[in-house]
C-alpha cells in the first residue's frame, strides 16, 4: 500500500493570469502559495498529481531543530513557530505538536557529537538537553534496555505527513486563490529575458513570477530552460504499523531504528540515512559535485536499480511544451520500496520495542529525496532567468522547514525583509562545479 494521504477537491478552472504561479504542491509549494496569498497576491498553484503525494507524505513527519546544520538552524527555529501559528490563523489541522524528540544511544562517539551540537546551539539561543544514563533509560523505558545517554529536545515536534500539505492547500483556497491538481506545468515562456508565463497541460497562465517547488523533478524542469541545478535523488523506504500501542514516545531515534506516532494513532518506522541510489543520466552528469557528499555518507547508501530511469524524473532530454511530458506519464513518483530495508526496519523495531509485536504492517512505501551537493536547500531567484524562484533540493529536511521555506519564498517575491538570511540558500552557489561545505547533519 502507498503512503496514506488526505484527498482534497480543488479548483476546476485555470486562470488566464496570476501574480505568481507555484509549480509543485508539496509542503514547500503550498506554504509558499499560502504566504503569498495572505499578502494579497493572486496565486495559482499547479500540481501534476495530488497535493502532497510525493515526498511530503512519505517522510517521518519530524519538525526539528536538533542536529540541524548551522545554515539550516535559523530556518528550523522559525518554521516551528510558523507550524504552530498556521493552525491558529487558518483553522486547519496539520497534526503539528511540540511533543519533543527523544534520541537514545549507547555509542560514546555519537553522544559526544550530540553534546558538541548542544554547545553550538546554546550560542544561537537554542536549548537542548543531554540525558545521562539514568534519564535516558527512564525515558526509553518502552525499549526495556539500559542506555548510556541521549538527548531530549523538548521544543521540537512532529506534524502529520498524511494531512499537512492538504491542510495548507485548503487554507489557500479559503483566500480565494487557485489550487489545481492533475495539471502538470510543462515549462516557461519568457519575454525580454524574464518569465512571462507558465505553460501547463491545460493552458497557459500569464505571470511575471514562477516558483519552482517540484522536489525531485526540479532539476529536469530547470534543464528545459537551460538552467543547471545539480540535484540527485535517493530512494528511501519506510513503513507504518497499526494503532493500539500505548506507552511509546511520540518520536524516538536510535541508531538501529526510529519511530514516530502518526496522526491515525499508528507508527512510522524507519532507519535513518539508509537509502538506495538509483543511477540516472542526471546523476552521472552531476557526479563530480556530489563526490564530497558521497565520501561523507557512503556507508549509509546502497546501490539501487532502474527505478529512477523508469520514473523519468531525472531525464536529460528536452520535451516540447505542446505535448505530454514525463510528468504526465508519471503523475506521482511512487517507486517500489526496498523490500530488504522494509524487512530489516520491521525486525529491528520489534526487537527494540516489544509492544509493537501486537501491531500489523499497514503500509510500506518509498520516496525520492532530492538532495543538493552540500545538503542544504536551494532557495532563491535563478540568476539567469529573472522571475523564476527555485525552492528545491531539501535533502530530506523539507517537511520540517516547509513553513519557513515558503515564507522566505514569499519574502523574496514581495521584497519583504527575509525571515532568515537568504544567502546560505542561493541557488547560484553551485555555479560551475562549486560544492561548498557538506552539511554536518
Amino acid at each position: 500500500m502507498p503512503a496514506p494521504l488526505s484527498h482534497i477537491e480543488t479548483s476546476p478552472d485555470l486562470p488566464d493570469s496570476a501574480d505568481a504561479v507555484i509549480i509543485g504542491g508539496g509542503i514547500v509549494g503550498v506554504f509558499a502559495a499560502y504566504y503569498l496569498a495572505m499578502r494579497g497576491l493572486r496565486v495559482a498553484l499547479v500540481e501534476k498529481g495530488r497535493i502532497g503525494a510525493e515526498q511530503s507524505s512519505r517522510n517521518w513527519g519530524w519538525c526539528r531543530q536538533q542536529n540541524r546544520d548551522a545554515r539550516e538552524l535559523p530556518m528550523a527555529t522559525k518554521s516551528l513557530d510558523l507550524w504552530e501559528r498556521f493552525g491558529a490563523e487558518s483553522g486547519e489541522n496539520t497534526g503539528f505538536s511540540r511533543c519533543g524528540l527523544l534520541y537514545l544511544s549507547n555509542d560514546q562517539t555519537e553522544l559526544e557529537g550530540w553534546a558538541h551540537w548542544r554547545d553550538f546551539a546554546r550560542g544561537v539561543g537554542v536549548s537542548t538537553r543531554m540525558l545521562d544514563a539514568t534519564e535516558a533509560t527512564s525515558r526509553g523505558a518502552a525499549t526495556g534496555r539500559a542506555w548510556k545517554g541521549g538527548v531530549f529536545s523538548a521544543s521540537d515536534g512532529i506534524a502529520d505527513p498524511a494531512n499537512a500539505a492538504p491542510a495548507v492547500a485548503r487554507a489557500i483556497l479559503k483566500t480565494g486563490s487557485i489550487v489545481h491538481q492533475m495539471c502538470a506545468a510543462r515549462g516557461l515562456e519568457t519575454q525580454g529575458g524574464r518569465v512571462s508565463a507558465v505553460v501547463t497541460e491545460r493552458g497557459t497562465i500569464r505571470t511575471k513570477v514562477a516558483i519552482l517547488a517540484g522536489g525531485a523533478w526540479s532539476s529536469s524542469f530547470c534543464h528545459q530552460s537551460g538552467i543547471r541545478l545539480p540535484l540527485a535523488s535517493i530512494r528511501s523506504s519506510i513503513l507504518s504499523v497499526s494503532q493500539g500501542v500505548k506507552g511509546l514516545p511520540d518520536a524516538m531515534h536510535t541508531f538501529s531504528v526510529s519511530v514516530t506516532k502518526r496522526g491515525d494513532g499508528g507508527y512510522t518506522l524507519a532507519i535513518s540515512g539508509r537509502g538506495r541510489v538509483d543511477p540516472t543520466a542526471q546523476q552521472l552528469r552531476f557526479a563530480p559535485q556530489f563526490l564530497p557528499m558521497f565520501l561523507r555518507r557512503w556507508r549509509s547508501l546502497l546501490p539501487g536499480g532502474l527505478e529512477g530511469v523508469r520514473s523519468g524524473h531525472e531525464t536529460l532530454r528536452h520535451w516540447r511544451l505542446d505535448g505530454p511530458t514525463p510528468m504526465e506519464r508519471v503523475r506521482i513518483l511512487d517507486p517500489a520500496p526496498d523490500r530488504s530495508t522494509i524487512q530489516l526496519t520491521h525486525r529491528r523495531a520489534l526487537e527494540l520495542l516489544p509492544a509493537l509485536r501486537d501491531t500489523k504492517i499497514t503500509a510500506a512505501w518509498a520516496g525520492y529525496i532530492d538532495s543538493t551537493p552540500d545538503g542544504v536547500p536551494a532557495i532563491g531567484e535563478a540568476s539567469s532567468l529573472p522571475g523564476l524562484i527555485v525552492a528545491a533540493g531539501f535533502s530530506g529536511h523539507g517537511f520540517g522547514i516547509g513553513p519557513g521555506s515558503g515564507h522566505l519564498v514569499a519574502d523574496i517575491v514581495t521584497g519583504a525583509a527575509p525571515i532568515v538570511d537568504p544567502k546560505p540558500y542561493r541557488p547560484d552557489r553551485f555555479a560551475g562545479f562549486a560544492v561548498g561545505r557538506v552539511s554536518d547533519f
Side-chain angles (χ1 to χ4, degrees), residues 220-237:
S220 61
F221 188 94
C222 282
H223 184 59
Q224 307 308 306
S225 297
I227 297 170
R228 188 178 187 278
L229 179 65
L231 297 180
S233 296
I234 303 300
R235 177 163 49 103
S236 177
S237 300

Side-chain angles (χ1 to χ4, degrees), residues 84-142:
E84 211 158 40
R85 194 183 311 166
F86 171 79
E89 69 185 15
S90 70
E92 296 291 342
N93 182 15
T94 63
F96 175 74
S97 68
R98 289 187 186 257
C99 60
L101 307 181
L102 175 63
Y103 296 69
L104 299 172
S105 181
N106 282 319
D107 183 89
Q108 187 60 37
T109 300
E110 187 172 41
L111 291 169
E112 289 171 358
W114 293 344
H116 176 73
W117 188 90
R118 174 204 58 191
D119 296 341
F120 147 72
R122 281 176 177 169
V124 292
V126 176
S127 175
T128 188
R129 183 178 169 216
M130 294 296 297
L131 306 177
D132 61 21
T134 300
E135 292 174 305
T137 300
S138 176
R139 285 190 177 272

